[in-house]
């Protein structure tokens, strides 16, 4: 009878201790979740004050919150009397398996963070990236949304953008346009160059610094080829280039300067050919 009472007493003490451990573990978990959210929000506000991109700051806020919650879960399990070593080993194995399964996604995520931090382009820039030309509409952690010149949308994975060269057409604010035109061999080269220079002066969209110019590029089969180069603002490239081509054609016609087309000379031999 005495042994039975001692067993009951030890059992009751064990149950009470288990209840206390579970209760304290739950308390640690609840208070820790609240505190982790406060710490993550504080970190996000600090990053915003440091002018960190909102997408990156939101991602880092969630990352900090998730890491703290995992640590709290391990602490709570230890407090409840559950061995944490097998759990940590299981989490490590699961993390490795998930990482191997999501290599492409993790690569996109890593490149998304790098693109947001280093900013090789911004929203509104016209770029060549991942083999595609388009205007950047948004940059997310996993992909970049480009609007093509014909108004189609292209969702490009960040891993593909990061693995290829990036050409930003808008970063410097100005771009150089280039127009090639041929004149006849009997036409006055100086007169043609002067006519183009007058067109430069007449168009206020063409920048004076760097100075525009026209040069003799080559002597072709049927024409003297001139190259015209001028700097304009990035947003004016297409309009100025098309207007300049039309103006050159109209001015050359008015000045009597020909724009020849390819020609071939044929020799006709009359009479009977030798066998």
């Amino acid at each position: 009878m005495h042994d039975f009472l001692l067993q009951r007493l030890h059992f009751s003490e064990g149950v009470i201790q288990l209840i206390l451990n579970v209760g304290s573990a739950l308390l640690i978990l609840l208070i820790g979740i609240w505190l982790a959210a406060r710490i993550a929000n504080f970190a996000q506000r600090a990053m915003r004050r440091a002018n960190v991109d909102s997408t990156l700051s939101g991602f880092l806020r969630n990352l900090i919150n998730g890491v703290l919650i995992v640590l709290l879960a391990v602490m709570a399990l230890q407090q409840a009397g559950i061995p944490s070593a097998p759990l940590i080993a299981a989490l490590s194995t699961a993390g490795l398996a998930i990482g191997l399964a999501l290599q492409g996604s993790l690569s996109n995520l890593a490149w998304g963070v790098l693109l947001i931090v280093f900013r090789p382009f911004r929203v509104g820039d016209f770029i060549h990236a991942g083999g595609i030309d388009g205007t950047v509409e948004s940059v997310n952690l996993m992909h970049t949304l480009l609007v093509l010149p014909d108004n189609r949308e292209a969702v490009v994975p960040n891993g593909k953008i990061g693995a290829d060269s990036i050409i930003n057409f808008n970063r410097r604010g100005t771009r150089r346009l280039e127009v090639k035109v041929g004149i006849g061999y009997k036409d006055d080269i100086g007169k043609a160059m002067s006519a183009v220079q007058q067109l430069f002066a007449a168009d206020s969209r063409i920048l004076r610094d760097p100075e525009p110019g026209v040069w003799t590029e080559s002597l072709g089969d049927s024409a003297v080829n001139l190259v015209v180069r001028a700097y304009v603002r990035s947003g004016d490239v297409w309009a100025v280039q098309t207007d300049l081509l039309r103006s050159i054609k109209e001015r050359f016609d008015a000045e009597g300067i020909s724009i020849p087309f390819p020609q071939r000379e044929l020799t006709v031999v009359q009479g009977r050919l030798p066998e």
Side-chain angles (χ1 to χ4, degrees), residues 56-120:
L56 180 59
S57 63
F59 168 73
L60 294 178
R61 185 262 176 205
N62 294 332
L63 180 62
I64 293 171
N65 189 47
V67 171
L68 291 176
I69 288 177
V70 171
L71 294 176
L72 285 169
V74 174
M75 292 173 58
L77 290 174
Q78 286 180 337
Q79 183 63 32
I82 300 174
S84 59
L87 177 63
I88 294 175
L91 290 175
S92 301
T93 304
L96 178 61
I98 293 173
L100 292 175
L102 300 177
Q103 283 183 344
S105 298
L106 293 177
S107 175
N108 291 333
L109 179 62
W111 276 111
V113 173
L114 293 176
L115 291 175
I116 292 173
V117 170
F118 292 104
R119 291 296 188 91

Side-chain angles (χ1 to χ4, degrees), residues 172-187:
R172 296 187 175 273
T174 61
R175 285 179 57 188
R176 190 190 75 180
L177 61 85
E178 182 175 291
V179 174
K180 296 182 180 181
V181 61
I183 63 174
Y185 272 95
K186 295 182 180 180
D187 293 313

Side-chain angles (χ1 to χ4, degrees), residues 261-272:
F261 50 86
Q263 299 180 13
R264 295 290 183 271
E265 292 185 0
L266 299 178
T267 302
V268 180
V269 179
Q270 295 182 351
R272 184 176 179 181

Side-chain angles (χ1 to χ4, degrees), residues 18-260:
L18 178 61
I19 293 174
L20 290 176
N21 290 341
V22 172
S24 58
L26 291 175
L27 186 62
I28 290 173
L29 192 60
L30 293 175
I31 296 176
I33 290 175
W34 176 81
L35 188 60
R38 296 293 297 271
I39 294 174
N41 291 335
F42 175 79
Q44 186 179 28
R45 288 194 296 269
M47 287 184 287
R48 286 177 178 174
R49 286 193 295 269
N51 295 324
V52 178
D53 186 87
S54 58
T55 304
L56 180 59
S57 63
F59 168 73
L60 294 178
R61 185 262 176 205
N62 294 332
L63 180 62
I64 293 171
N65 189 47
V67 171
L68 291 176
I69 288 177
V70 171
L71 294 176
L72 285 169
V74 174
M75 292 173 58
L77 290 174
Q78 286 180 337
Q79 183 63 32
I82 300 174
S84 59
L87 177 63
I88 294 175
L91 290 175
S92 301
T93 304
L96 178 61
I98 293 173
L100 292 175
L102 300 177
Q103 283 183 344
S105 298
L106 293 177
S107 175
N108 291 333
L109 179 62
W111 276 111
V113 173
L114 293 176
L115 291 175
I116 292 173
V117 170
F118 292 104
R119 291 296 188 91
F121 50 81
R122 297 176 182 272
V123 173
D125 287 348
F126 187 80
I127 66 171
H128 173 85
I132 299 176
D133 294 338
T135 302
V136 180
E137 184 162 291
S138 65
V139 183
N140 299 315
L141 289 173
M142 301 299 294
H143 63 268
T144 297
L145 180 61
L146 299 180
V147 178
L148 306 186
D150 59 1
N151 209 34
R152 291 180 297 166
E153 290 185 353
V155 179
V156 187
N158 289 331
K160 185 175 182 180
I161 293 178
D164 199 357
S165 59
I166 300 173
I167 301 175
N168 192 325
F169 296 92
N170 295 58
R171 175 57 64 89
R172 296 187 175 273
T174 61
R175 285 179 57 188
R176 190 190 75 180
L177 61 85
E178 182 175 291
V179 174
K180 296 182 180 181
V181 61
I183 63 174
Y185 272 95
K186 295 182 180 180
D187 293 313
D188 188 340
I189 298 177
K191 183 179 179 181
M193 290 183 172
S194 177
V196 175
Q197 292 285 356
Q198 293 174 14
L199 295 177
F200 291 154
D203 195 334
S204 60
R205 297 170 297 178
I206 296 177
L207 302 179
R208 302 299 177 260
D209 186 22
E211 184 178 1
V214 53
W215 297 269
T216 304
E217 182 189 40
S218 63
L219 302 177
D221 293 338
S222 56
V224 177
N225 296 314
L226 305 180
V227 58
V228 180
R229 297 190 179 102
Y231 279 85
V232 298
R233 293 182 180 87
S234 299
D236 294 336
V237 173
W238 179 249
V240 175
Q241 182 167 317
T242 54
D243 291 345
L244 185 60
L245 276 172
R246 177 175 178 176
S247 299
I248 290 174
K249 174 64 169 63
E250 293 175 348
R251 177 59 65 89
F252 280 9
D253 288 346
E255 297 286 343
I257 301 172
S258 62
I259 301 178

